[in-house]
Amino acid sequence: MPASDPALAGAAAVALTGLAEAYRPRPITPLMPWRYTHRLVKPYVVTARGRQWDDHMVDVARGTATRQLEFDDAMGSVGLGVVVLHLGDDGIYLVVQSWAKDFQSRLSIFSGMDVDDLRPAPIGAAPCVWELEVLSHERASYVQHILSAGVDVDSWLDDVLDTRPTPRPDGIPSGT
């Protein structure tokens, strides 16, 4: 891959090429909304190749997310949030985003080798490209259905990102 700018020559060009060659989309599965008193949450699961999730993992992640969402409520949440449980190649990540007053959002990230040991991620950690795909969709959904549509919560809840492969009738059961 030739660098189009001299600033991206050498090691930078090699690093970008390696990232581009290694990137693969990951399935994003929307779950049923989590309904609390005064709060609605759209949960998602993102899975790296070979990773599978189960109800226990979602329950544990929901417990961690709920504690963060309660804190966010105390800090000015407007009662709508998004949670992304990401089973990555190198660990598990949990991203909790709450919409807040004044067009702001609160974002917290937890990480661990297993869902049972999720801890706040190190300072400076940010969502990865797959988590950002969900957050980007959710930002657009929030603007479209809440801010621009007179607070249409039902449409906001229905507007989910689902990138799971569609099974082919002539394919193998995995859908490929």
Side-chain angles (χ1 to χ4, degrees), residues 42 44 132-142 159-161:
K42 292 166 67 173
Y44 290 89
L132 284 170
E133 183 176 3
V134 175
L135 297 179
S136 176
H137 170 85
E138 286 302 324
R139 183 254 175 217
S141 180
Y142 183 75
D159 184 3
V160 295
L161 180 63

PDB file of all heavy atoms in Angstrom, residues 42 44 132-142 159-161:
ATOM      1  N   LYS A  42     -30.648   0.218  25.482  1.00  0.00           N
ATOM      2  CA  LYS A  42     -30.532  -0.648  24.313  1.00  0.00           C
ATOM      3  C   LYS A  42     -29.213  -1.420  24.426  1.00  0.00           C
ATOM      4  O   LYS A  42     -28.147  -0.847  24.244  1.00  0.00           O
ATOM      5  CB  LYS A  42     -30.569   0.192  23.034  1.00  0.00           C
ATOM      6  CG  LYS A  42     -31.932   0.830  22.799  1.00  0.00           C
ATOM      7  CD  LYS A  42     -31.911   1.905  21.747  1.00  0.00           C
ATOM      8  CE  LYS A  42     -31.629   1.440  20.362  1.00  0.00           C
ATOM      9  NZ  LYS A  42     -31.779   2.530  19.351  1.00  0.00           N
ATOM     10  N   TYR A  44     -26.396  -4.393  23.352  1.00  0.00           N
ATOM     11  CA  TYR A  44     -25.853  -5.078  22.178  1.00  0.00           C
ATOM     12  C   TYR A  44     -24.755  -6.035  22.619  1.00  0.00           C
ATOM     13  O   TYR A  44     -24.108  -5.813  23.640  1.00  0.00           O
ATOM     14  CB  TYR A  44     -25.201  -4.076  21.215  1.00  0.00           C
ATOM     15  CG  TYR A  44     -26.149  -3.158  20.503  1.00  0.00           C
ATOM     16  CD1 TYR A  44     -26.518  -1.943  21.063  1.00  0.00           C
ATOM     17  CD2 TYR A  44     -26.644  -3.480  19.250  1.00  0.00           C
ATOM     18  CE1 TYR A  44     -27.372  -1.076  20.388  1.00  0.00           C
ATOM     19  CE2 TYR A  44     -27.494  -2.623  18.566  1.00  0.00           C
ATOM     20  CZ  TYR A  44     -27.849  -1.421  19.141  1.00  0.00           C
ATOM     21  OH  TYR A  44     -28.691  -0.563  18.474  1.00  0.00           O
ATOM     22  N   LEU A 132     -17.447   1.476  18.379  1.00  0.00           N
ATOM     23  CA  LEU A 132     -17.798   2.771  17.800  1.00  0.00           C
ATOM     24  C   LEU A 132     -18.852   2.635  16.703  1.00  0.00           C
ATOM     25  O   LEU A 132     -19.640   3.553  16.485  1.00  0.00           O
ATOM     26  CB  LEU A 132     -16.562   3.477  17.259  1.00  0.00           C
ATOM     27  CG  LEU A 132     -15.667   4.099  18.315  1.00  0.00           C
ATOM     28  CD1 LEU A 132     -14.354   4.562  17.689  1.00  0.00           C
ATOM     29  CD2 LEU A 132     -16.361   5.251  19.021  1.00  0.00           C
ATOM     30  N   GLU A 133     -18.876   1.490  16.020  1.00  0.00           N
ATOM     31  CA  GLU A 133     -19.920   1.270  15.018  1.00  0.00           C
ATOM     32  C   GLU A 133     -21.298   1.317  15.683  1.00  0.00           C
ATOM     33  O   GLU A 133     -22.230   1.936  15.169  1.00  0.00           O
ATOM     34  CB  GLU A 133     -19.697  -0.072  14.313  1.00  0.00           C
ATOM     35  CG  GLU A 133     -20.684  -0.343  13.210  1.00  0.00           C
ATOM     36  CD  GLU A 133     -20.405  -1.632  12.463  1.00  0.00           C
ATOM     37  OE1 GLU A 133     -19.465  -2.375  12.818  1.00  0.00           O
ATOM     38  OE2 GLU A 133     -21.154  -1.904  11.498  1.00  0.00           O
ATOM     39  N   VAL A 134     -21.421   0.680  16.831  1.00  0.00           N
ATOM     40  CA  VAL A 134     -22.691   0.710  17.569  1.00  0.00           C
ATOM     41  C   VAL A 134     -22.970   2.131  18.065  1.00  0.00           C
ATOM     42  O   VAL A 134     -24.078   2.653  17.893  1.00  0.00           O
ATOM     43  CB  VAL A 134     -22.670  -0.269  18.762  1.00  0.00           C
ATOM     44  CG1 VAL A 134     -23.946  -0.137  19.591  1.00  0.00           C
ATOM     45  CG2 VAL A 134     -22.474  -1.700  18.284  1.00  0.00           C
ATOM     46  N   LEU A 135     -21.986   2.759  18.682  1.00  0.00           N
ATOM     47  CA  LEU A 135     -22.193   4.098  19.235  1.00  0.00           C
ATOM     48  C   LEU A 135     -22.523   5.113  18.147  1.00  0.00           C
ATOM     49  O   LEU A 135     -23.324   6.029  18.373  1.00  0.00           O
ATOM     50  CB  LEU A 135     -20.979   4.536  20.050  1.00  0.00           C
ATOM     51  CG  LEU A 135     -20.679   3.685  21.288  1.00  0.00           C
ATOM     52  CD1 LEU A 135     -19.432   4.206  21.988  1.00  0.00           C
ATOM     53  CD2 LEU A 135     -21.859   3.618  22.230  1.00  0.00           C
ATOM     54  N   SER A 136     -21.932   4.969  16.979  1.00  0.00           N
ATOM     55  CA  SER A 136     -22.237   5.861  15.866  1.00  0.00           C
ATOM     56  C   SER A 136     -23.696   5.698  15.433  1.00  0.00           C
ATOM     57  O   SER A 136     -24.417   6.684  15.221  1.00  0.00           O
ATOM     58  CB  SER A 136     -21.309   5.570  14.687  1.00  0.00           C
ATOM     59  OG  SER A 136     -21.638   6.357  13.584  1.00  0.00           O
ATOM     60  N   HIS A 137     -24.128   4.450  15.315  1.00  0.00           N
ATOM     61  CA  HIS A 137     -25.536   4.194  14.975  1.00  0.00           C
ATOM     62  C   HIS A 137     -26.455   4.795  16.043  1.00  0.00           C
ATOM     63  O   HIS A 137     -27.458   5.432  15.730  1.00  0.00           O
ATOM     64  CB  HIS A 137     -25.798   2.697  14.852  1.00  0.00           C
ATOM     65  CG  HIS A 137     -27.260   2.377  14.743  1.00  0.00           C
ATOM     66  ND1 HIS A 137     -27.935   2.409  13.544  1.00  0.00           N
ATOM     67  CD2 HIS A 137     -28.183   2.080  15.689  1.00  0.00           C
ATOM     68  CE1 HIS A 137     -29.210   2.137  13.764  1.00  0.00           C
ATOM     69  NE2 HIS A 137     -29.388   1.925  15.054  1.00  0.00           N
ATOM     70  N   GLU A 138     -26.097   4.593  17.297  1.00  0.00           N
ATOM     71  CA  GLU A 138     -26.948   5.058  18.392  1.00  0.00           C
ATOM     72  C   GLU A 138     -26.974   6.584  18.497  1.00  0.00           C
ATOM     73  O   GLU A 138     -27.990   7.152  18.860  1.00  0.00           O
ATOM     74  CB  GLU A 138     -26.518   4.424  19.708  1.00  0.00           C
ATOM     75  CG  GLU A 138     -26.921   2.972  19.800  1.00  0.00           C
ATOM     76  CD  GLU A 138     -28.431   2.771  19.655  1.00  0.00           C
ATOM     77  OE1 GLU A 138     -29.209   3.611  20.136  1.00  0.00           O
ATOM     78  OE2 GLU A 138     -28.833   1.773  19.034  1.00  0.00           O
ATOM     79  N   ARG A 139     -25.889   7.240  18.165  1.00  0.00           N
ATOM     80  CA  ARG A 139     -25.892   8.705  18.136  1.00  0.00           C
ATOM     81  C   ARG A 139     -26.887   9.199  17.080  1.00  0.00           C
ATOM     82  O   ARG A 139     -27.706  10.066  17.321  1.00  0.00           O
ATOM     83  CB  ARG A 139     -24.484   9.228  17.849  1.00  0.00           C
ATOM     84  CG  ARG A 139     -24.384  10.747  17.869  1.00  0.00           C
ATOM     85  CD  ARG A 139     -24.262  11.260  16.460  1.00  0.00           C
ATOM     86  NE  ARG A 139     -24.271  12.714  16.436  1.00  0.00           N
ATOM     87  CZ  ARG A 139     -24.867  13.419  15.488  1.00  0.00           C
ATOM     88  NH1 ARG A 139     -25.480  12.825  14.491  1.00  0.00           N
ATOM     89  NH2 ARG A 139     -24.834  14.724  15.516  1.00  0.00           N
ATOM     90  N   ALA A 140     -26.833   8.592  15.880  1.00  0.00           N
ATOM     91  CA  ALA A 140     -27.754   8.976  14.807  1.00  0.00           C
ATOM     92  C   ALA A 140     -29.202   8.667  15.196  1.00  0.00           C
ATOM     93  O   ALA A 140     -30.115   9.464  14.928  1.00  0.00           O
ATOM     94  CB  ALA A 140     -27.377   8.261  13.513  1.00  0.00           C
ATOM     95  N   SER A 141     -29.424   7.538  15.842  1.00  0.00           N
ATOM     96  CA  SER A 141     -30.768   7.155  16.272  1.00  0.00           C
ATOM     97  C   SER A 141     -31.309   8.136  17.312  1.00  0.00           C
ATOM     98  O   SER A 141     -32.480   8.532  17.267  1.00  0.00           O
ATOM     99  CB  SER A 141     -30.735   5.732  16.839  1.00  0.00           C
ATOM    100  OG  SER A 141     -32.008   5.331  17.274  1.00  0.00           O
ATOM    101  N   TYR A 142     -30.462   8.540  18.234  1.00  0.00           N
ATOM    102  CA  TYR A 142     -30.862   9.494  19.277  1.00  0.00           C
ATOM    103  C   TYR A 142     -31.242  10.838  18.662  1.00  0.00           C
ATOM    104  O   TYR A 142     -32.277  11.424  19.000  1.00  0.00           O
ATOM    105  CB  TYR A 142     -29.710   9.647  20.278  1.00  0.00           C
ATOM    106  CG  TYR A 142     -29.998  10.548  21.447  1.00  0.00           C
ATOM    107  CD1 TYR A 142     -30.825  10.125  22.485  1.00  0.00           C
ATOM    108  CD2 TYR A 142     -29.427  11.808  21.535  1.00  0.00           C
ATOM    109  CE1 TYR A 142     -31.077  10.945  23.572  1.00  0.00           C
ATOM    110  CE2 TYR A 142     -29.678  12.636  22.628  1.00  0.00           C
ATOM    111  CZ  TYR A 142     -30.496  12.198  23.638  1.00  0.00           C
ATOM    112  OH  TYR A 142     -30.748  13.014  24.715  1.00  0.00           O
ATOM    113  N   ASP A 159     -35.111   1.170  16.587  1.00  0.00           N
ATOM    114  CA  ASP A 159     -34.011   1.455  15.661  1.00  0.00           C
ATOM    115  C   ASP A 159     -32.717   0.869  16.216  1.00  0.00           C
ATOM    116  O   ASP A 159     -32.003   1.508  16.977  1.00  0.00           O
ATOM    117  CB  ASP A 159     -33.881   2.965  15.463  1.00  0.00           C
ATOM    118  CG  ASP A 159     -32.829   3.333  14.430  1.00  0.00           C
ATOM    119  OD1 ASP A 159     -32.226   2.425  13.824  1.00  0.00           O
ATOM    120  OD2 ASP A 159     -32.604   4.537  14.239  1.00  0.00           O
ATOM    121  N   VAL A 160     -32.436  -0.372  15.831  1.00  0.00           N
ATOM    122  CA  VAL A 160     -31.240  -1.056  16.335  1.00  0.00           C
ATOM    123  C   VAL A 160     -30.328  -1.438  15.176  1.00  0.00           C
ATOM    124  O   VAL A 160     -30.770  -1.592  14.039  1.00  0.00           O
ATOM    125  CB  VAL A 160     -31.598  -2.310  17.163  1.00  0.00           C
ATOM    126  CG1 VAL A 160     -32.349  -1.922  18.427  1.00  0.00           C
ATOM    127  CG2 VAL A 160     -32.387  -3.307  16.342  1.00  0.00           C
ATOM    128  N   LEU A 161     -29.073  -1.614  15.492  1.00  0.00           N
ATOM    129  CA  LEU A 161     -28.085  -2.068  14.532  1.00  0.00           C
ATOM    130  C   LEU A 161     -27.952  -3.582  14.667  1.00  0.00           C
ATOM    131  O   LEU A 161     -27.725  -4.085  15.767  1.00  0.00           O
ATOM    132  CB  LEU A 161     -26.739  -1.383  14.816  1.00  0.00           C
ATOM    133  CG  LEU A 161     -25.579  -1.744  13.907  1.00  0.00           C
ATOM    134  CD1 LEU A 161     -25.879  -1.329  12.463  1.00  0.00           C
ATOM    135  CD2 LEU A 161     -24.304  -1.069  14.402  1.00  0.00           C
TER     136      LEU A 161
END
